[in-house]
C-alpha cells in the first residue's frame, strides 16, 4: 500500500492544509475496517476533501509526522493505539504542534485520558471546540509514557496477544512458553516499601485511567505518579483482580496496594525487568527508576470541561 500522503477522494495539495491525519495501517482498527470507518466518521463530522490521510506503518510514524510538520501541518491526528500516538507525540516534542489521538487500537486508553472517551465519531464532531493542552507523563528509565507502564513477568502476555493478532489463536498459545517460570515468584520489589510483588503499574494520573476507566479526580498533581502493585498467590487472584477492575473495586483488594510519589525505584532480584510502555514491550535491565514528567506531550483535547 502506498505510504505517501493521500487525500480523501482527491490527489491535490495534500500537505497544503494545517490539519492532517496519520493512519497506522498496522493498528487493530485499520486491520478490521480499513479506511471505511474513518472516512464514514469524517463525512458525518463534516470533514471533507481538504483533510489528507497519510497511511504508514508503526515504524514510519516518526518520520512521516516530522515530514508533515515541515510541510506546514499545524495539528496532526493519529489513528492508532496508545503506542502510535506516543510515537508521534514524542516526535513533535518542542515543535509546539499538538496531536489529536483517534481511537484505532485495542484499548485506546490515551483517547480516554485526552477526550474522556474513545468514540471516533464524537471526537471528530467535537473537533471545532477542541483546545490544546499539555499532558503530563512519566519516565521508565529513559522511556517516556503517556498512559502507563507495567512491569513483571505478567507483561509477557503482551507477546501472546500480539502473536494471536498476527498469527492466530494456536500460535498465541505457543507464545505462553515465553512467560517466565517465576510467574508467581514475587520477584519485583518497590524500593520504597520492599514488598514483593508480581506486577507493578505506574501512571501519570490515577491508575484507573490506565485501565481505561476514567477517574473522578480531575486535579491530579502533574509532578507525581500513582503506582499500583499486586502480589498473586495463583490464577484465582488474577481472575479476581480482572473482575474487580471491571467493576472499579480493585482498590479494595487486600493483595493490591497503591502509592503516589514523584520518583520510585523497582528491582527484580538482579534479573532483567520486562515491561510495557504505553503498550509497547521494553526491557529495562536489572534496575528501573520511575519518574514523573510534566508537560510530556501537547495534545488537542475535545473534553467539554476544558477551560
Amino acid at each position: 500500500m502506498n505510504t505517501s500522503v493521500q487525500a480523501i477522494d482527491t490527489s491535490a495539495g495534500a500537505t497544503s492544509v494545517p490539519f492532517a491525519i496519520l493512519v497506522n495501517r498496522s493498528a487493530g482498527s485499520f486491520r478490521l475496517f480499513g479506511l471505511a470507518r474513518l472516512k464514514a466518521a469524517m463525512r458525518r463530522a463534516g470533514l471533507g476533501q481538504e483533510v489528507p490521510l497519510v497511511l504508514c506503518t508503526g515504524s514510519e510514524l516518526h518520520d512521516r509526522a516530522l515530514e508533515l510538520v515541515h510541510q506546514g501541518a499545524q495539528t496532526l491526528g493519529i489513528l492508532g493505539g496508545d503506542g502510535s500516538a506516543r510515537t508521534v507525540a514524542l516526535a513533535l516534542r518542542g515543535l509546539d504542534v499538538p496531536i489529536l489521538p483517534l481511537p484505532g487500537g485495542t484499548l485506546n486508553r490515551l483517547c480516554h485520558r485526552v477526550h474522556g472517551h474513545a468514540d471516533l465519531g464524537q471526537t471528530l464532531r467535537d473537533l471545532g471546540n477542541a483546545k490544546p493542552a499539555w499532558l503530563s507523563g512519566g519516565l521508565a528509565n529513559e522511556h517516556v509514557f503517556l498512559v502507563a507502564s507495567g512491569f513483571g513477568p505478567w507483561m509477557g502476555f503482551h507477546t501472546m496477544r500480539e502473536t494471536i493478532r498476527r498469527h492466530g489463536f494456536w500460535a498465541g498459545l505457543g507464545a505462553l512458553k515465553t512467560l517466565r517460570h517465576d510467574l508467581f515468584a514475587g520477584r519485583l520489589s518497590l524500593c520504597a516499601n520492599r514488598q514483593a510483588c508480581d506486577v507493578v503499574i505506574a501512571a501519570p494520573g490515577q491508575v484507573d485511567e490506565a485501565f481505561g476507566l476514567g477517574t473522578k479526580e480531575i486535579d491530579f498533581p502533574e509532578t507525581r505518579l500513582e503506582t499500583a502493585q499486586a502480589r498473586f498467590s495463583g490464577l484465582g487472584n488474577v481472575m479476581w483482580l480482572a473482575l474487580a477492575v471491571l467493576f472499579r473495586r480493585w482498590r479494595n483488594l487486600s493483595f493490591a496496594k497503591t502509592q503516589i510519589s514523584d520518583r520510585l525505584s523497582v528491582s527484580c532480584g538482579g534479573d532483567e525487568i520486562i515491561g510495557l510502555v504505553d503498550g509497547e514491550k521494553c526491557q529495562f535491565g536489572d534496575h528501573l527508576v520511575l519518574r514523573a514528567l510534566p508537560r510530556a506531550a501537547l495534545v488537542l483535547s475535545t473534553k467539554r470541561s476544558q477551560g
Side-chain angles (χ1 to χ4, degrees), residues 196-264:
C197 52
D198 295 305
V199 62
V200 174
I201 297 176
Q206 286 191 322
V207 172
D208 302 76
E209 289 186 291
F211 294 140
L213 301 175
T215 176
K216 296 181 179 179
E217 185 175 344
I218 298 175
D219 297 322
F220 192 92
E222 286 200 354
T223 57
R224 313 295 291 275
L225 294 173
E226 182 171 51
T227 306
Q229 63 182 94
R231 179 75 174 99
F232 303 128
S233 59
L235 286 175
N237 279 155
V238 179
M239 296 177 66
W240 189 242
L241 175 61
L243 189 63
V245 167
L246 183 63
F247 289 98
R248 307 188 184 205
R249 294 290 185 268
W250 66 274
R251 292 177 183 270
N252 299 327
L253 298 177
S254 61
F255 55 86
K257 301 181 183 299
T258 63
Q259 59 182 298
I260 297 175
S261 66
D262 56 358
R263 182 186 177 95
L264 281 172

Side-chain angles (χ1 to χ4, degrees), residues 189-195 264-267 287-288:
S189 174
L190 294 183
C191 295
N193 56 28
R194 299 293 181 181
Q195 291 184 340
L264 281 172
S265 296
V266 183
S267 62
H287 188 71
L288 171 67

Side-chain angles (χ1 to χ4, degrees), residues 1-7 14 25 53-56 60 64 67:
M1 183 178 295
N2 188 357
T3 60
S4 61
V5 173
Q6 300 184 9
R25 68 186 192 209
L53 303 181
V54 181
L55 309 182
C56 59
E60 297 169 323
R64 291 290 183 268
E67 287 173 7

Side-chain angles (χ1 to χ4, degrees), residues 3 50 57 105 125-126 148 150 164 167 169 171 183 185 202-203 210 213 215 240 245 259 272 293 302:
T3 60
E50 71 278 5
T57 63
R125 289 192 300 272
D126 292 342
I164 290 175
H167 305 292
F169 179 74
L183 200 59
L213 301 175
T215 176
W240 189 242
V245 167
Q259 59 182 298
E272 180 83 11
L293 181 64
T302 62

Side-chain angles (χ1 to χ4, degrees), residues 39-82:
K39 287 186 175 182
M42 293 178 71
R43 285 195 298 270
R44 289 192 292 268
L47 298 177
Q49 299 179 359
E50 71 278 5
V51 179
L53 303 181
V54 181
L55 309 182
C56 59
T57 63
S59 62
E60 297 169 323
L61 284 169
H62 181 280
D63 292 340
R64 291 290 183 268
L66 289 177
E67 287 173 7
L68 284 169
V69 170
H70 291 155
Q71 293 166 355
Q74 299 171 18
T75 300
L76 288 184
I78 169 64
L79 182 74
D82 296 332

Side-chain angles (χ1 to χ4, degrees), residues 54-138:
V54 181
L55 309 182
C56 59
T57 63
S59 62
E60 297 169 323
L61 284 169
H62 181 280
D63 292 340
R64 291 290 183 268
L66 289 177
E67 287 173 7
L68 284 169
V69 170
H70 291 155
Q71 293 166 355
Q74 299 171 18
T75 300
L76 288 184
I78 169 64
L79 182 74
D82 296 332
S84 300
R86 168 182 170 270
T87 296
V88 176
L90 296 185
L92 303 184
R93 286 191 73 191
L95 299 180
D96 291 329
V97 176
I99 68 162
L100 177 75
L102 297 172
T106 304
L107 298 177
N108 302 307
R109 298 166 301 174
L110 185 61
C111 288
H112 281 280
R113 188 175 181 212
V114 173
H115 306 302
H117 58 80
D119 186 310
L120 176 61
Q122 183 177 339
T123 301
L124 294 176
R125 289 192 300 272
D126 292 342
L127 186 57
N129 297 318
K131 296 182 180 180
W134 282 104
L135 201 67
S136 61

